[in-house]
Amino acid sequence: MMQPGSLILSTMTRLLLPLQLLFSVFMLLRGHDLPGGGFIAGLVASAGFILYLFAFGVAATQALLRIDPREIAGAGLTLAVLSALPALLYGDPVFTAQWWHPSLPLIGEIKLSSPLLFDIGVYLTVIGSMLTIVISLAEAEE
Amino acid sequence: MEPLMAVLVGITFATAVYMMLRRSIVKLIIGLTLLSNAANLLFFTASGLTRGAPPIIPEGAEQPAGAVADPLPQALILTAIVISFGVLAFALVLIRKAYQVVQADDLDQMKDTDT
Amino acid sequence: MNLAVALPILLPLLLGALSLLAHRRLRLQRWLGVLGTGALLAAALWLLRCVAREGVVVLHMGDWQAPFGITLAADLLGASMAVLTGLLGLATAVYSLATTPRGHEQYGHWPLLHLLLAGVTGAFLTGDIFNLYVWFEVMLVASFALLTLGGERAQMEGAIKYVALNLLSSMIFLSALGITYGLFGTLNMADLAAKVAAADQPGLLSVLAAMYMVAFGIKAGAFPLFFWLPASYHTPPVAVSALFAGLLSKVGVYSLYRVFTLIFTHDVGYTHEILLWAAGLTMLTGVLGALAQTEIRRIVSFQIISSIGYMLMGLALFTPLALAGGMLYIGQDIVVKITLFLVAGIAFRLLGSYRLEALGGLYRYRPLLGVLFLIPALSLAGLPPLSGFIAKLAVVRGAIEEASWGITFVALLTGLLTLYSIIRIWQQAFWRELPAHATDTGVLRGERRDPGLWLMYLPVAVLAGLILLVGVYAQPFFGLAEAAAGQLLDPQAYIDAVLGEARP
């Protein structure tokens, strides 16, 4: 099954992976009040990496990721839990949404919020756990 | 619409139970997948099938204009789907490893821990 | 202070995430494990103090008021269970330092341990029944993974049964939730209690109650759907087994206590009668199963089932005394079961087997271990002056006051058979001479030192001391159980605390 080398697949994957990652970030950011969000964005991104794994094998995917997927999941879970805490600074119950409106030069005002932090956490957790499962399956196959 | 959905839910549950009663581990997992789908469909049907607009209140208004769909069951089912997705992904890894260890796709050969 | 009720959930979640981040650094993970579970215990004790002082502590997550948002609510029962979770987590973490194989640690023993504890405390502290389902699944995913770490054949076989039956129970639970939402339009337990009390559909309610009963009954390991428990609990390393034995099935019992005191009290004569039958049959089948076994961990696994029967009996009788006794039984049984498993782990360390025929001579060479075994074992059989005696006395007195002679007889008979099954372990593993064919007894005879052994003795000794303490100095613990029973039987305070001003 894991035979890296199909020319069409590997060429297309090189094209598709950046597009999928870009699309996943787009899904993540629009998720607050439109369809999208951390979970589905994480699935899109991990689908991109899994496609890469089909095309180039486990070792190449691990080299592309550079860090262990379990660390990605850990970082995501940490972010998600920490997003509960900003509310405490303002005296609200945990997980209450907090919004900040800093303005940046050239871009103008942007909206940041603790739900966004939570969503990024979910995004990373999904990528990390999906890749952990798929890589362990693929390693068993090899 | 409700009677149709009720029949569909019933058929899905029956199929799931039938699959789970087979001896093959793969069929057991298929049965569990169907079971989770059946439970989600049941949730969806039981909480009321209504035609309605997305439950979004227009800007400036206090309440939505016209009939809206109940968003809560959808959120809950989505949560349940995500959870069963995770559990079933794990179950797939499990049956793969179990197959490697036991070398058989047969629940009857897995009774070492039963006696 | 409302943060108190969120802390026992957030803390293990955060620690799990941090241990996952540190997955290459085992020393750090071990420190996080021991200190983190210690912090969990401290946080849970703080919560219990808050609840004892101020009554039910409620937190509306994200400031979404009940019944719309997810509410965390701790009464005395939930807070005490959280304390026990912290205590068990700490004991298991210390014991794991000496016993968990390195490979298991590398593949995520510590993060999964924290995740499991988060799921368990979440289930104890949530006030929303859908959220209870979510915590159940968190707990189950973590326990599936802990169960299969290592990948031996017995583990795989046990795990398939565990996964299949627990998923089945989750799906019954989910279906019941769907019907509940369809009927009442709410999933907040306090709101649900108010709406069920006002509903006029006894037949449908009883069907719904039966679905919850089956779902939680499977998770609790109650008759007749208990067989996944003795097929899987003895397969992972002993520290994990001990945690499962102490905590997991009790989450199912806790849910039964919560749902059948708060929500489904519309037809006590019907629902609680079924529970009473299940309780009696669970006790009896559990102890008979234990008698048929010859491996310590499997004997204790069947004893878990038998004890679940006593807890259900307390709930089924539904009087203040029986409920208090049942809850005290849950609390003390958690400690007793984990101690028994941990003692079995020490015996395995000394003699390399869990099978009775390969054990022997433990009392001669390790008299302290003999005492540490007898304390939880005799408590399990219900002998004074140990904690099991107090709890069993209260439950059985509750049954006698209700003139339920059948269940009284079964409970006492089960106690006798339990004593017999305990004496079998004592006689074969501890009392008789070391079998002639036993090899590698250097550590046992004291010829060779085992540096990790004191880490195994330490939690066992503390827990055994606790069992003795609860038995001898029972008044405060029984008082706590009585107060918790009072809260369960008069849920109005809980409902008012959760719904607050939102009440119509």
Side-chain angles (χ1 to χ4, degrees):
Chain A
M1 172 195 165
M2 287 298 153
Q3 289 166 336
S6 155
L7 186 62
I8 298 175
L9 185 61
S10 49
T11 316
M12 284 313 289
T13 303
R14 277 183 216 283
L15 276 174
L16 278 175
L17 179 63
L19 280 177
Q20 269 177 307
L21 290 182
L22 208 59
F23 182 62
S24 77
V25 174
F26 165 70
M27 289 291 270
L28 171 69
L29 292 179
R30 89 199 274 264
H32 188 70
D33 40 17
L34 284 169
F39 179 75
I40 198 74
L43 281 186
V44 170
S46 38
F49 286 116
I50 292 167
L51 189 65
Y52 193 85
L53 188 142
F54 284 158
F56 299 102
V58 175
T61 315
Q62 277 165 337
L64 179 74
L65 284 171
R66 302 219 180 137
I67 50 174
D68 193 293
R70 274 174 290 178
E71 282 168 14
I72 304 179
L77 203 53
T78 314
L79 262 184
V81 176
L82 289 181
S83 77
L85 303 182
L88 293 177
L89 294 178
Y90 299 90
D92 292 327
V94 288
F95 276 120
T96 307
Q98 305 295 332
W99 289 85
W100 302 281
H101 302 269
S103 41
L104 294 180
L106 299 178
I107 304 173
E109 191 190 70
I110 55 169
K111 288 187 199 167
L112 293 177
S113 67
S114 60
L116 178 66
L117 207 60
F118 184 80
D119 251 1
I120 295 173
V122 172
Y123 176 73
L124 292 177
T125 311
V126 170
I127 297 181
S129 43
M130 280 303 298
L131 289 180
T132 309
I133 291 175
V134 172
I135 286 180
S136 74
L137 272 179
E139 273 175 341
E141 194 81 27
E142 286 172 2
Chain B
M1 195 62 185
E2 267 95 353
L4 198 64
M5 287 297 282
V7 171
L8 180 65
V9 169
I11 292 175
T12 322
F13 265 115
T15 322
V17 172
Y18 175 74
M19 288 304 254
M20 285 180 71
L21 293 177
R22 307 300 297 271
R23 277 165 46 181
S24 152
I25 318 172
V26 177
K27 286 179 182 150
L28 175 73
I29 297 295
I30 295 175
L32 288 171
T33 318
L34 281 172
L35 197 66
S36 77
N37 292 345
N40 286 327
L41 272 179
L42 174 68
F43 203 132
F44 187 56
T45 315
S47 47
L49 299 172
T50 47
R51 274 180 191 280
I56 293 174
I57 302 169
E59 200 143 1
E62 283 288 302
Q63 50 183 348
V68 294
D70 183 358
L72 193 63
Q74 299 175 18
L76 296 179
I77 292 167
L78 192 61
T79 313
I81 289 175
V82 169
I83 290 173
S84 45
F85 169 78
V87 176
L88 288 169
F90 173 79
L92 277 178
V93 179
L94 174 68
I95 62 162
R96 208 197 131 66
K97 289 213 169 130
Y99 179 74
Q100 283 173 341
V101 178
V102 183
Q103 289 296 325
D105 176 34
D106 185 356
L107 283 172
D108 274 7
Q109 302 201 6
M110 296 201 168
K111 48 192 180 195
D112 277 10
T113 61
D114 276 342
T115 44
Chain C
M1 180 61 190
N2 288 345
L3 183 62
V5 58
L7 211 54
I9 304 174
L10 289 179
L11 208 58
L13 270 181
L14 187 64
L15 284 161
L18 290 177
S19 332
L20 204 57
L21 268 179
H23 80 103
R24 277 182 222 285
R25 306 178 58 187
L26 289 184
R27 279 179 71 88
L28 182 62
Q29 285 193 41
R30 290 188 193 129
W31 276 107
L32 280 175
V34 174
L35 296 178
T37 46
L40 173 62
L41 178 60
L45 280 170
W46 181 40
L47 172 65
L48 184 61
R49 215 178 74 125
C50 290
V51 175
R53 278 192 181 168
E54 304 161 19
V56 181
V57 177
V58 176
L59 174 72
H60 302 294
M61 298 254 273
D63 214 9
W64 292 95
Q65 293 302 315
F68 304 110
I70 294 173
T71 307
L72 300 180
D75 61 355
L76 282 173
L77 174 62
S80 320
M81 297 299 279
V83 170
L84 285 165
T85 311
L87 182 69
L88 254 67
L90 183 57
T92 319
V94 172
Y95 199 87
S96 288
L97 294 178
T99 55
T100 305
R102 216 182 154 71
H104 291 236
E105 288 186 305
Q106 277 161 346
Y107 277 94
H109 172 79
W110 293 104
L112 289 168
L113 188 71
H114 290 297
L115 205 60
L116 182 71
L117 291 175
V120 172
T121 48
F124 289 148
L125 297 179
T126 184
D128 183 286
I129 197 159
F130 190 83
N131 201 228
L132 180 65
Y133 166 78
V134 174
W135 288 121
F136 258 122
E137 298 302 296
V138 169
M139 182 179 99
L140 286 174
V141 170
S143 63
F144 293 163
L146 272 176
L147 196 60
T148 51
L149 276 184
E152 288 161 26
R153 175 170 179 152
Q155 285 183 307
M156 291 302 151
E157 294 189 9
I160 284 192
K161 291 156 198 163
Y162 183 93
V163 169
L165 274 219
N166 275 292
L167 259 178
L168 178 67
S169 126
S170 295
M171 289 314 146
I172 296 174
F173 187 10
L174 185 62
S175 310
L177 287 174
I179 297 173
T180 311
Y181 186 75
L183 277 177
F184 300 109
T186 180
L187 290 168
N188 181 295
M189 289 202 262
D191 196 25
L192 210 52
K195 286 194 169 139
V196 167
D200 186 30
Q201 292 164 300
L204 201 51
L205 273 181
S206 295
V207 171
L208 203 54
M211 284 180 85
Y212 282 113
M213 204 186 292
V214 173
F216 295 143
I218 293 179
K219 305 227 188 237
F223 183 86
L225 291 164
F226 58 81
F227 34 80
W228 58 271
L229 194 154
S232 60
Y233 270 21
H234 65 285
T235 55
V238 67
V240 175
S241 286
L243 192 63
F244 283 17
L247 274 182
L248 288 195
S249 49
K250 272 67 171 188
V251 184
V253 178
Y254 163 82
S255 312
L256 281 172
Y257 265 74
R258 178 65 72 209
V259 168
F260 284 92
T261 58
L262 182 62
I263 303 174
F264 294 110
T265 49
H266 62 287
D267 189 2
V268 176
Y270 176 70
T271 49
H272 290 60
E273 180 73 22
I274 300 179
L275 280 174
L276 197 63
W277 277 91
L281 290 168
T282 309
M283 276 180 217
L284 213 53
T285 43
V287 78
L288 291 178
L291 290 180
Q293 297 298 324
T294 56
E295 207 241 50
I296 296 186
R297 290 175 304 173
R298 289 182 58 89
I299 296 177
V300 183
S301 292
F302 274 103
Q303 291 289 3
I304 297 173
I305 296 166
S306 177
S307 307
I308 297 290
Y310 284 97
M311 300 165 200
L312 293 184
M313 178 176 155
L315 172 62
L317 290 167
F318 209 56
T319 63
L321 181 63
L323 271 178
M327 276 185 284
L328 193 61
Y329 203 101
I330 299 178
Q332 68 92 19
D333 189 69
I334 288 179
V335 180
V336 164
K337 286 290 150 41
I338 188 170
T339 317
L340 282 174
F341 260 99
L342 296 184
V343 169
I346 298 181
F348 178 78
R349 183 84 156 217
L350 294 172
L351 280 166
S353 176
Y354 291 106
R355 307 199 67 81
L356 285 180
E357 69 258 21
L359 295 172
L362 283 172
Y363 184 67
R364 177 161 166 198
Y365 293 102
R366 301 273 168 174
L368 176 65
L369 185 65
V371 174
L372 289 179
F373 169 76
L374 273 187
I375 291 176
L378 294 181
S379 173
L380 181 67
L383 262 62
L386 299 162
S387 60
F389 169 70
I390 310 287
K392 219 173 249 190
L393 182 72
V395 178
V396 171
R397 251 189 72 190
I400 293 176
E401 280 177 10
E402 285 288 288
S404 306
W405 304 115
I407 194 78
T408 309
F409 174 72
V410 173
L412 294 177
L413 177 70
T414 306
L416 207 61
L417 292 173
T418 308
L419 188 61
Y420 172 61
S421 110
I422 290 303
I423 288 177
R424 261 182 69 221
I425 303 184
W426 171 256
Q427 189 264 329
Q428 300 213 21
F430 289 84
W431 197 245
R432 76 173 172 173
E433 283 300 308
L434 195 62
H437 53 81
T439 52
D440 192 27
T441 54
V443 182
L444 178 69
R445 292 173 194 277
E447 291 158 5
R448 196 152 43 78
R449 283 183 52 77
D450 183 343
L453 211 52
W454 70 274
L455 280 174
M456 302 168 74
Y457 269 103
L458 181 68
V460 173
V462 171
L463 293 173
L466 198 66
I467 296 171
L468 208 57
L469 176 74
V470 176
V472 176
Y473 189 58
Q475 191 51 43
F477 298 96
F478 193 71
L480 180 68
E482 270 187 320
Q487 281 187 343
L488 287 187
L489 281 174
D490 180 22
Q492 201 55 46
Y494 181 89
I495 296 174
D496 288 344
V498 171
L499 295 183
E501 309 91 63
R503 278 181 72 73

